[in-house]
Amino acid sequence: NPPYEEGVEVVSPVLYVNGKNPTIEIRNICALLNYFGQYSDESCGGHIHIGGKYLQSVDAYKNLLELWSNTEKILYLISNEPGTISRHNIDTYALPISKDLTYTLETGTVNLSNENDLDEFKNNLRKFEENRFKGLNLTNMATDIAKIKNLPTIEFRASNGTVNADTWIENINLFGGVVEIAQKLAVIQEK
C-alpha cells in the first residue's frame, strides 16, 4: 500500500537453448513486465543460472574459478545496463569471491591442485563459499543439493535486476560464454 511498496521476485521457467528460442521467451517476459508498469530499483539483483552439467571435469571448474576471479571486477561492471552502477546491497547478496578464494587456497582449506574426484571437488567448493550470496554461486553444484533440486546450476548473481530484455540476453551470453570457455579450456588442457 502506498507509500510503501513491496517487491516481487520474477522467476522465469527454465529456458533451454535446444528447445524454444530463449531470446523470444525473455523478450515476452520483459514485455509483459513493462506492460504492467513493473520496474527494478537500486536494490534488485539479476540472477542467471547456467546448467552445471556443462562443466565435465575438475579442470573445467578450476578454469571457471580462475576466469571469474581474474575478471571479477570487470564482470560486475559490464553486466549492468549502461549508465548504472552495481546495486547498493551487492556485498550482502552477491559478494565477490576472488579474495575469499585466494585466502582459501593460501590457507589450504581447499586444495585445488590435488583434487581429482569431481563430486568431492564440488562439495569442497562449499567450504570457501560458506553461503549462496556470492557473485558466482556454486552451492547448487554440491552433490547433496543437486540431488534434492535435480537441477545442478551455476548461479551468477553479479548483475542488477532489470526489465530490459536486451540486458538479460547480453548477460546470459556473457556468463554462458564464461562457462563455455572454462569447459573448452579443460578439453584443450587434457590434450
Side-chain angles (χ1 to χ4, degrees):
N1 295 329
Y4 304 104
E5 295 183 24
E6 292 195 28
V8 297
E9 180 175 1
V10 177
V11 180
S12 76
V14 175
L15 304 174
Y16 295 97
V17 174
N18 296 335
K20 296 178 184 175
N21 184 342
T23 302
I24 293 171
E25 292 185 49
I26 293 166
R27 290 197 186 287
N28 288 341
I29 292 166
C30 289
L32 189 64
L33 292 170
N34 283 301
Y35 176 80
F36 285 109
Q38 301 304 302
Y39 60 92
S40 59
D41 66 15
E42 67 280 350
S43 67
C44 296
H47 306 164
I48 294 172
H49 292 257
I50 304 289
K53 292 181 180 178
Y54 189 81
L55 298 181
Q56 299 172 9
S57 68
V58 172
D59 284 338
Y61 280 91
K62 289 179 187 178
N63 292 337
L64 175 63
L65 291 171
E66 187 170 352
L67 286 167
W68 182 268
S69 294
N70 289 329
T71 59
E72 189 171 55
K73 287 182 181 180
I74 295 167
L75 292 171
Y76 273 79
L77 292 173
I78 66 173
S79 64
N80 294 315
E81 287 183 79
T84 62
I85 60 172
S86 293
R87 58 195 181 277
H88 65 82
N89 56 5
I90 199 129
D91 285 341
T92 303
Y93 296 107
L95 190 66
I97 68 163
S98 55
K99 289 180 186 175
D100 287 344
L101 181 59
T102 300
Y103 175 78
T104 302
L105 295 174
E106 287 173 354
T107 59
T109 307
V110 175
N111 187 346
L112 297 182
S113 61
N114 290 338
E115 290 287 348
N116 293 317
D117 181 79
L118 185 55
D119 287 340
E120 184 178 332
F121 180 75
K122 291 179 197 177
N123 291 330
N124 283 338
L125 287 175
R126 292 174 66 189
K127 291 179 185 175
F128 100 85
E129 281 206 320
E130 297 173 0
N131 64 53
R132 65 185 179 90
F133 299 116
K134 306 287 184 173
L136 172 64
N137 171 22
L138 300 170
T139 302
N140 291 335
M141 294 305 302
T143 52
D144 57 337
I145 293 176
K147 284 179 187 174
I148 294 168
K149 293 189 174 193
N150 200 21
L151 191 63
T153 62
I154 300 163
E155 181 183 22
F156 296 89
R157 301 173 62 92
S159 57
N160 294 341
T162 182
V163 292
N164 181 331
D166 290 334
T167 301
W168 280 109
I169 293 164
E170 289 166 3
N171 284 336
I172 291 166
N173 289 330
L174 172 66
F175 298 133
V178 171
V179 172
E180 180 181 23
I181 293 300
Q183 176 59 36
K184 284 183 176 181
L185 283 172
V187 171
I188 291 168
Q189 291 164 326
E190 193 176 295
K191 293 178 183 178

